[in-house]
Amino acid sequence: MNASMGLHSLTFRVMRLCRPSFQVDDPLRFDSLDLLTGEDIFDDPATVSQAQLPRLFHRCNTNTTKPGEVDTYRNRYVLQNPTDAMGLPGFLVLPQAFGAIYLGETFCSYISINNSSNVEVKDVIIKVEIQTERQRIMLLDTSKSPVASIHSGGRYDFIMEHDVKELGTHTLVCTALYTDGDGDCKYLPQSFKFIVASPLSVRTKVRTVKDITFLEACIENHTKSNLYMEQVDFVPAQNWSTTTLKADEHYSEINCQTREIFKPPILIRSGGGIHNYLYQLRLSSHESTQMKVEGSNVLGKFQITWHTNLGEPGRLQTQPIFGSPISHKEIKLKIVEVPSITISGRPFLIRLNLTNQTDRKMGPFEVWMSKGNFHEQKAITVNGLHKMVLPHVEAFESTDFNLNLVASRLGVQKITGITMFDIKEKKIYDPLPDLEIFVDAD
Amino acid sequence: MDVEQNDGQTLTSDLQALSVSDPLSNQFSSLNDLCYEASSLQELASRGSWRSILDKVVRARKLSLLQKPHEHLIYLCYNVLALTKLRKYGEASEELDSLEDFDSARYKYETHPEHYPNRSGSMVPFALRWIHAEIPQRLGKRQETLDRLYSLLDFVRTKLKEKESKNMNFCVDRWKKREAFLISSISSHHLSHKEFSVCLALLRQLLNSDPSNPILLSKLGYIQMQLGDLEGSKALFNRVETLMTEGNPGALLDEVQFKNLVNRNKALIYLVGKDYVSAVREYEECIERDPTDVVAINNKALCLMYLRDLSDSIKVLENALERIPTVALNETIVVNLCSMYELAYVNHSDIKRTLSNWIARVAPDDFDSSCTRI
């Protein structure tokens, strides 16, 4: 546009308008009795009339004129009641600094366009935009209905809100296109930068005990404020259901008189404070032997809401949380038959059963016995080829096969380290648990 | 003993019979019977004329106008208080250093039988113990202050137990007030450092012994609101409202004050729900009932600003300062007004200077004018 950018009649004034805070004072206020008498003056009732003194002070402490009419600065000096010493009279205070902004929060600001010149300006087209590395978001555009005029000394105000969903540098770009007093078309751009940081990190651990999966989450607060955790919910994936596990109440809490009125809040300390959460997950389907494991093992994700001063909210969702890596349960391998007598040096067969517990064809497989960890040779080894290859197994089908073994030592010995390898998926399974047999002499 | 007929003007026959040499057992119709020119000290302090108090103390000392040991202590107390109010913490600390240990014999009535023939106990004004604890923090030694305050709390609790065991009910009442005062003061320190958990734990102790105190309940609500527990604060405010409908417990608040407290609490709930229009309505009810309710006035101005009405928010605060300066002139209102000026005016230094000049004419000596950020 053919607009000049010289001296401007208009200026943008911007103030971040997050929620206010309660003013906390450092009051120097007293009960006058505590200033003008010794602390033990009432110990001796005979010499001083106990009721007389306080009444005298009451006259001085409180207003002698109509209720509310105070003609001195008495309230800066005298306590109305002991809790005034808390310095929390209830005044709210506007945010005094821009502060830090974090992902998940709402950026709110008061924007005022001031005409600080002597003349009226006309036809003001205002645009407000947020620019990030990835995108530009238009928050306000008055092109369709420009502000007809702003007189000298006048203002046009608006309040903007934007949910912060990206990290990094953000620029609030305010522009005004207007006709000034001389009839010239002027263009005023003003921008304000701020950086969005990450407020929390969530570290998880998954443990499976029998058929219960436990999910432990540790939330760490990277912000400069204490965070009140309004909601830390685990939203389970399909097939899973979740219960939040909470610690028992401390005995001092249970006995506390004010328990009904007032519960200590979950507050994570600023700059590195942490809080741990524990969830119990169960598979919704009751057929645990025919688990449908679709390759990925997503358990769900977290939905977190926190509050800072006066309930200023922040919201985040985590990436999906994965369960433990694929376990035995896809494929079940077990030893089904062992000879009743085993003689040292004489080869023997053990029969194993391989069951495919998934709904798709699996294999082919390789089976072998791992070499021992120790330098000594294992007592029971494979007799013949080191590796055995098994063909495909259809969905939900099973197959039996024999392993040819030989024992080299007498007594109670272990069949250990039978390992299976899925050639196609290139997945190695944990070895079978050890099985003990008795090896006789010839 | 007979109870007096009216405000401490008449003596009972018992008191008349006592020796007149103990100044504290005389009939006293004015504060001056307690201490040399005590009413003048009280008057100057109420006006915020702390510099005049310093002059008064200097004069009294120079001309040896103080006859009794307890008067020296009281004047020293006011001197330290004035220095602290004027933010001359170094000098206040020096003055306190001139004292012996508070529990020393020198400050006991029985050590001076020539002045106090029938009296025993400590003549140290309790406020002096507290100021002595507060000073280190103002000199940058926060931990020292916390240590002293917690020790003082122990001291108060010991006294409380002692008086309770002797059934000295009036003394128990006084020491209970001092305990509440101390706990509140310690909480203030923790609050300003955002140590919310400690603060809440302390105030719970206070609440346990005074569970129907609407002021305390409301303040707990403000703390919960400040840290973000909106449900918790709502529950506390509901309890305060219930207390009001049940009838006024104790003599803490009169009817107007209680109603305004409940309205202001309601307004806060609207505010955190971003219903600023309803919040303004609640505050206007308060102001109608009590035109000097500056908390309502200040908070109403903020609501107007959140409603995009910067001009009216400025008018509300300016109007209050003009109409009721001795109530409205405080650092918080000035901070808010100056923030509004900075937003509303490109050349805000002019208007801030006008405000600052007015403040210099009207304000008490202890007003902290750095709040104008000029």
Side-chain angles (χ1 to χ4, degrees):
Chain A
M1 292 224 53
N2 209 5
S4 55
M5 281 176 49
L7 264 180
H8 279 288
S9 317
L10 294 181
T11 320
F12 280 100
R13 307 288 298 162
V14 173
M15 174 176 160
R16 184 173 173 198
L17 204 64
C18 46
R19 290 178 192 216
S21 297
F22 281 101
Q23 172 67 18
V24 179
D25 286 326
D26 202 354
L28 281 168
R29 293 169 70 185
F30 304 88
D31 181 326
S32 304
L33 259 172
D34 286 338
L35 276 166
L36 286 169
T37 63
E39 59 198 353
D40 286 339
I41 198 163
F42 293 111
D43 277 9
D44 193 354
T47 47
V48 178
S49 164
Q50 291 183 346
Q52 209 173 14
L53 250 185
R55 214 165 293 159
L56 181 65
F57 276 92
H58 185 73
R59 270 200 346 242
C60 304
N61 273 352
T62 60
N63 308 332
T64 47
T65 47
K66 275 209 318 243
E69 271 183 38
V70 181
D71 59 349
T72 68
Y73 290 106
R74 197 179 284 124
N75 276 334
R76 293 172 73 93
Y77 158 63
V78 155
L79 291 169
Q80 299 297 335
N81 63 76
T83 55
D84 284 344
M86 226 187 286
L88 195 59
F91 285 110
L92 291 172
V93 119
L94 287 168
Q96 290 303 298
F98 192 82
I101 302 197
Y102 298 98
L103 190 66
E105 293 183 335
T106 303
F107 171 67
C108 178
S109 85
Y110 195 112
I111 304 180
S112 178
I113 301 186
N114 284 349
N115 180 357
S116 52
S117 73
N118 300 326
V119 289
E120 189 190 12
V121 303
K122 294 200 163 90
D123 301 323
V124 191
I125 298 178
I126 305 163
K127 289 193 190 163
V128 177
E129 198 178 71
I130 291 233
Q131 291 174 8
T132 67
E133 281 157 45
R134 277 194 278 155
Q135 53 182 329
R136 299 157 76 107
I137 305 163
M138 186 67 77
L139 299 177
L140 176 76
D141 185 352
T142 66
S143 315
K144 299 242 169 76
S145 50
V147 180
S149 91
I150 303 180
H151 60 84
S152 163
R155 280 196 323 267
Y156 183 75
D157 296 348
F158 42 98
I159 294 184
M160 298 289 29
E161 272 191 16
H162 167 70
D163 290 335
V164 177
K165 297 202 173 102
E166 280 176 64
L167 290 169
T169 310
H170 286 55
T171 313
L172 179 72
V173 181
C174 304
T175 59
L177 190 64
Y178 63 99
T179 309
D180 73 3
D182 300 327
D184 295 330
C185 193
K186 287 260 177 77
Y187 174 70
L188 168 72
Q190 251 180 285
S191 59
F192 309 88
K193 267 200 174 60
F194 57 92
I195 298 187
V196 174
S198 184
L200 307 167
S201 54
V202 183
R203 288 191 294 274
T204 56
K205 257 191 231 167
V206 179
R207 272 184 245 274
T208 311
V209 177
K210 296 209 181 153
D211 57 346
I212 306 177
T213 302
F214 290 100
L215 171 64
E216 195 184 306
C218 175
I219 299 190
E220 186 176 333
N221 174 4
H222 300 301
T223 74
K224 296 198 177 87
S225 320
N226 297 315
L227 299 182
Y228 170 75
M229 303 314 286
E230 160 87 355
Q231 169 206 38
V232 178
D233 287 346
F234 185 71
V235 179
Q238 235 183 6
N239 299 329
W240 290 96
S241 69
T242 175
T243 328
T244 312
L245 299 177
K246 292 212 169 88
D248 292 337
E249 273 185 286
H250 194 263
Y251 67 84
S252 70
E253 289 288 325
I254 299 175
N255 293 332
C256 182
Q257 272 178 297
T258 48
R259 188 167 173 244
E260 298 310 315
I261 306 174
F262 166 75
K263 246 177 35 171
I266 298 181
L267 200 63
I268 308 188
R269 203 180 35 85
S270 62
I274 62 164
H275 194 92
N276 293 308
Y277 295 84
L278 189 60
Y279 303 85
Q280 182 177 291
L281 303 168
R282 278 181 206 271
L283 273 175
S284 331
S285 81
H286 295 293
E287 299 153 22
S288 50
T289 48
Q290 295 211 355
M291 229 181 66
K292 295 179 182 187
V293 178
E294 298 284 334
S296 72
N297 193 14
V298 176
L299 296 173
K301 58 183 186 237
F302 279 100
Q303 209 141 280
I304 301 173
T305 308
W306 69 88
H307 285 169
T308 51
N309 58 298
L310 263 68
E312 183 91 64
R315 277 175 207 92
L316 275 182
Q317 255 183 14
T318 62
Q319 301 286 358
I321 311 283
F322 290 89
S324 330
I326 311 295
S327 64
H328 255 288
K329 298 211 181 114
E330 271 191 328
I331 297 287
K332 209 153 137 200
L333 179 67
K334 56 181 195 266
I335 299 174
V336 291
E337 205 185 308
V338 207
S340 43
I341 299 174
T342 313
I343 308 288
S344 164
R346 290 220 203 128
F348 62 95
L349 289 175
I350 61 171
R351 193 158 93 228
L352 296 100
N353 173 269
L354 171 73
T355 308
N356 178 359
Q357 296 190 133
T358 72
D359 62 352
R360 62 189 192 283
K361 186 160 85 171
M362 291 202 71
F365 301 99
E366 267 178 3
V367 182
W368 67 80
M369 239 171 145
S370 60
K371 302 206 194 323
N373 285 330
F374 312 100
H375 295 300
E376 58 176 73
Q377 233 206 341
K378 281 168 78 168
I380 299 180
T381 51
V382 169
N383 180 35
L385 284 176
H386 173 60
K387 274 192 195 158
M388 183 167 184
V389 178
L390 300 171
H392 295 286
V393 181
E394 295 295 333
F396 302 119
E397 295 281 311
S398 75
T399 178
D400 282 3
F401 63 97
N402 292 329
L403 264 187
N404 197 325
L405 306 175
V406 66
S408 54
R409 288 203 287 276
L410 294 174
V412 175
Q413 301 297 340
K414 288 191 183 140
I415 300 176
T416 121
I418 297 182
T419 309
M420 197 165 65
F421 176 65
D422 184 330
I423 299 172
K424 182 163 165 235
E425 306 271 334
K426 294 198 175 28
K427 214 178 303 194
I428 204 169
Y429 289 89
D430 287 340
L432 275 186
D434 295 347
L435 182 69
E436 278 182 345
I437 59 168
F438 187 77
V439 181
D440 251 326
D442 207 343
Chain B
M1 206 152 80
D2 274 307
V3 179
E4 315 71 66
Q5 259 78 65
N6 49 34
D7 281 82
Q9 299 285 16
T10 45
L11 255 191
T12 68
S13 51
D14 283 358
L15 282 178
Q16 269 176 330
L18 285 167
S19 149
V20 287
S21 61
D22 179 348
L24 296 167
S25 65
N26 277 350
Q27 167 191 1
F28 41 88
S29 54
S30 92
L31 290 174
N32 292 335
D33 296 322
L34 281 171
C35 174
Y36 178 77
E37 293 195 351
S39 54
S40 162
L41 284 172
Q42 181 82 334
E43 172 83 14
L44 288 170
S46 299
R47 290 194 190 287
S49 305
W50 300 100
R51 284 192 272 267
S52 306
I53 288 184
L54 287 180
D55 291 339
K56 188 178 171 69
V57 173
V58 164
R59 184 171 179 271
R61 286 170 174 174
K62 207 172 3 178
L63 301 176
S64 302
L65 299 172
L66 307 174
Q67 309 288 328
K68 317 275 186 237
H70 75 277
E71 291 178 329
H72 283 285
L73 262 185
I74 290 172
Y75 268 66
L76 185 142
C77 188
Y78 269 87
N79 205 36
V80 174
L81 177 56
L83 288 167
T84 310
K85 284 273 189 185
L86 294 169
R87 290 178 288 285
K88 296 182 176 170
Y89 306 124
E91 289 176 54
S93 179
E94 274 170 30
E95 179 87 337
L96 284 169
D97 285 343
S98 72
L99 287 170
E100 282 175 31
D101 183 276
F102 286 131
D103 301 317
S104 86
R106 180 151 163 226
Y107 304 129
K108 302 257 192 281
Y109 292 119
E110 59 266 32
T111 315
H112 310 270
E114 71 279 16
H115 292 294
Y116 318 103
N118 294 317
R119 185 171 290 282
S120 65
S122 159
M123 64 173 78
V124 176
F126 181 73
L128 191 55
R129 285 192 193 260
W130 181 77
I131 296 176
H132 171 259
E134 280 281 322
I135 290 289
Q137 186 254 334
R138 289 150 206 268
L139 287 166
K141 292 183 250 168
R142 179 175 184 252
Q143 200 51 52
E144 173 80 35
T145 282
L146 284 174
D147 288 347
R148 288 184 185 183
L149 285 173
Y150 276 103
S151 299
L152 188 53
L153 186 57
D154 271 344
F155 169 80
V156 168
R157 285 177 167 161
T158 309
K159 284 275 192 182
L160 199 47
K161 278 208 185 76
E162 184 200 310
K163 308 301 177 195
E164 272 168 348
S165 67
K166 293 184 188 162
N167 285 324
M168 299 164 79
N169 294 331
F170 195 84
C171 292
V172 166
D173 195 53
R174 281 240 52 85
W175 286 102
K176 267 216 165 89
K177 280 207 170 86
R178 287 165 181 167
E179 185 192 24
F181 165 76
L182 256 185
I183 291 180
S184 302
S185 165
I186 295 174
S187 302
S188 164
H189 284 280
H190 288 302
L191 259 181
S192 60
H193 270 71
K194 303 209 201 305
E195 293 161 349
F196 292 115
S197 306
V198 183
C199 184
L200 289 173
L202 266 174
L203 292 173
R204 261 180 121 174
Q205 286 176 31
L206 205 51
L207 194 63
N208 275 331
S209 56
D210 194 4
S212 302
N213 182 335
I215 303 176
L216 181 55
L217 287 165
S218 299
K219 292 194 179 180
L220 264 169
Y222 304 155
I223 296 174
Q224 292 203 285
M225 205 174 251
Q226 177 65 32
L227 58 86
D229 183 1
L230 302 182
E231 289 310 308
S233 61
K234 255 184 218 143
L236 285 164
F237 292 158
N238 285 342
R239 188 159 161 76
V240 174
E241 192 167 1
T242 309
L243 284 170
M244 183 177 80
T245 54
E246 281 172 2
N248 199 342
L252 283 170
L253 296 169
D254 65 35
E255 199 186 322
V256 167
Q257 289 172 326
F258 211 161
K259 284 194 171 140
N260 273 24
L261 179 64
V262 170
N263 274 110
R264 290 198 305 267
N265 292 347
K266 273 211 183 96
L268 286 169
I269 297 290
Y270 283 125
L271 204 151
V272 296
K274 294 180 126 175
D275 181 359
Y276 301 110
V277 174
S278 300
V280 168
R281 198 188 56 229
E282 295 290 330
Y283 285 129
E284 282 176 342
E285 227 180 279
C286 294
I287 298 166
E288 171 99 23
R289 212 180 276 129
D290 175 7
T292 66
D293 187 343
V294 277
V295 176
I297 293 172
N298 174 78
N299 293 359
K300 173 186 164 183
L302 257 73
C303 287
L304 289 172
M305 186 163 161
Y306 282 80
L307 284 169
R308 205 171 54 95
D309 195 350
L310 185 56
S311 309
D312 276 345
S313 65
I314 289 177
K315 281 205 193 91
V316 166
L317 293 184
E318 285 178 338
N319 177 273
L321 286 173
E322 202 176 339
R323 186 172 55 87
I324 39 168
T326 55
V327 192
L329 183 53
N330 68 61
E331 287 80 348
T332 307
I333 288 196
V334 173
V335 162
N336 282 333
L337 184 55
C338 287
S339 295
M340 293 172 186
Y341 282 156
E342 283 163 16
L343 185 56
Y345 299 98
V346 178
N347 302 313
H348 47 78
S349 36
D350 289 338
I351 192 160
K352 286 211 283 186
R353 201 160 296 120
T354 310
L355 176 65
S356 181
N357 292 339
W358 177 82
I359 288 174
R361 285 198 324 269
V362 168
D365 291 349
D366 58 317
F367 190 86
D368 187 355
S369 51
S370 68
C371 61
T372 55
R373 277 203 301 262
I374 288 187

